[in-house]
């Protein structure tokens, strides 16, 4: 074997040993809090990916969407057919109308359903899509939300998406991923696309 190949083999083995040791160390069985934040595209996509993964293993999942998109949601069309309950805002958010009370009422109605998901051990995973904004804008009571997440059933995992997560959400999360905006087609003038963006 050449020197180069031998070096590579030793390095790979060392890497494998480290990974194996890490896997051996991770023995705890419990649900996690996964926070997907940052300004890049892919947060909700990733959250729905986890929900699909669970449903694919015949686990039950539930979704609460805290911002009503302008468009229908492809994942909702698919997942509702597979028995995943969705709680979605009846009214849109209205940074436009500047009606803070209406926004708080809309956020609260979704939260009341989300809270039930978080108290129900039948759900293996609960997606709280765009929750970060509700805390950032103080539309929901921070401590109540944190408590409901912390006190969820032990086997349940929670996925939280949205930009600008407050520090407390990062603190209670077991896994935090920050998606970086390197570039986005929208900025080059490409319209949002059905099936890709929603
Ligand atoms: P997605 O739903 O595609 O995973 P996301 O959840 O990461 O996106 P949001 O902040 O929730 O991003 O924005 C939702 C919509 O805005 C999507 O249509 C998405 O394509 C678009 N979007 C996301 N990131 C950017 C960006 N950096 N610039 C412009 N548009 C974006
Ligand atoms: Mg999103």
């Amino acid at each position: 074997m050449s020197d180069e190949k031998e070096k590579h083999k030793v390095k790979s083995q060392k890497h494998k040993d480290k990974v194996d040791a890490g896997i051996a160390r991770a023995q705890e069985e419990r649900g996690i809090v996964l926070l997907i934040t940052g300004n890049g595209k892919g947060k909700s996509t990733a959250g729905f990916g986890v929900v699909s993964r669970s449903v694919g293993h015949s686990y039950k999942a539930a979704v609460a969407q805290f911002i009503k998109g302008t468009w229908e949601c492809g994942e909702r069309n698919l997942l509702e057919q597979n028995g995943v309950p969705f709680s979605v805002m009846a009214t849109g958010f209205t940074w436009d109308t500047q009606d803070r009370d209406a926004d708080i009422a809309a956020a609260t109605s979704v939260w009341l359903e989300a809270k039930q998901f978080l108290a129900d051990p039948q759900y293996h995973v609960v997606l709280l899509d765009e929750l970060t904004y509700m805390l950032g804008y103080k539309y929901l009571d921070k401590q109540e939300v944190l408590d409901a997440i912390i006190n969820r059933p032990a086997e349940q995992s929670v996925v939280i998406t949205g930009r600008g997560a407050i520090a407390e959400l990062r603190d209670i999360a077991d896994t935090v991923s920050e998606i970086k905006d390197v570039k986005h087609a929208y900025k080059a003038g490409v319209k949002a696309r059905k099936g890709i963006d929603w």
Side-chain angles (χ1 to χ4, degrees):
M1 201 180 288
S2 73
D3 255 18
E4 218 28 54
K5 273 193 177 160
E6 181 59 30
K7 257 193 210 159
H8 178 74
K9 198 178 156 203
V10 170
K11 210 173 151 193
S12 300
Q13 187 58 46
K14 269 193 185 157
H15 178 67
K16 187 177 178 307
D17 291 347
K18 255 194 190 168
V19 171
D20 288 349
I23 293 169
R25 255 197 320 275
Q27 290 295 337
E28 202 180 341
E29 291 267 9
R30 64 170 172 86
I32 62 155
V33 177
L34 166 56
L35 171 64
I36 306 166
T37 189
N39 293 331
K41 172 178 168 61
K43 299 174 290 294
S44 296
T45 315
F48 281 113
V50 175
V51 171
S52 305
R53 191 173 268 182
S54 270
V55 170
H57 287 294
S58 303
Y59 290 122
K60 284 196 185 302
V63 176
Q65 284 186 295
F66 284 95
I67 291 189
K68 193 189 175 190
T70 335
W71 305 294
E72 58 168 335
C73 168
E75 294 94 335
R76 185 178 178 189
N77 295 345
L78 179 73
L79 291 166
E80 276 188 338
Q81 287 174 22
N82 283 281
V84 177
F86 272 63
S87 173
V88 179
M89 273 181 190
T91 55
F93 255 126
T94 52
W95 356 87
D96 335 321
T97 60
Q98 303 289 319
D99 186 345
R100 189 175 160 84
D101 289 344
D103 286 349
I104 289 175
T108 302
S109 74
V110 175
W111 169 244
L112 291 178
E113 289 188 88
K115 217 162 70 168
Q116 292 183 9
F117 297 150
L118 292 168
D120 190 339
Q122 75 168 314
Y123 295 118
H124 188 252
V125 59
V126 176
L127 170 60
L128 304 173
D129 190 35
E130 321 295 354
L131 174 73
T132 57
Y133 305 99
M134 303 306 102
L135 299 179
Y137 295 128
K138 301 194 167 71
Y139 285 172
L140 297 175
D141 182 81
K142 180 170 73 182
Q143 203 52 53
E144 185 182 330
V145 171
L146 294 172
D147 286 345
I149 295 169
I150 291 166
N151 296 322
R152 73 194 185 282
E155 293 294 320
Q156 186 182 86
S157 293
V158 177
V159 185
I160 300 162
T161 74
R163 301 175 191 209
I166 58 170
E168 290 91 335
L169 278 180
R170 291 169 186 261
D171 290 344
I172 64 162
D174 298 285
T175 300
V176 180
S177 291
E178 189 155 322
I179 299 191
K180 188 178 157 190
D181 181 26
V182 177
K183 57 166 145 170
H184 194 288
Y186 177 76
K187 286 180 190 126
V190 183
K191 267 179 90 171
R193 285 179 73 77
K194 186 173 181 175
I196 303 297
D197 291 297
W198 77 92

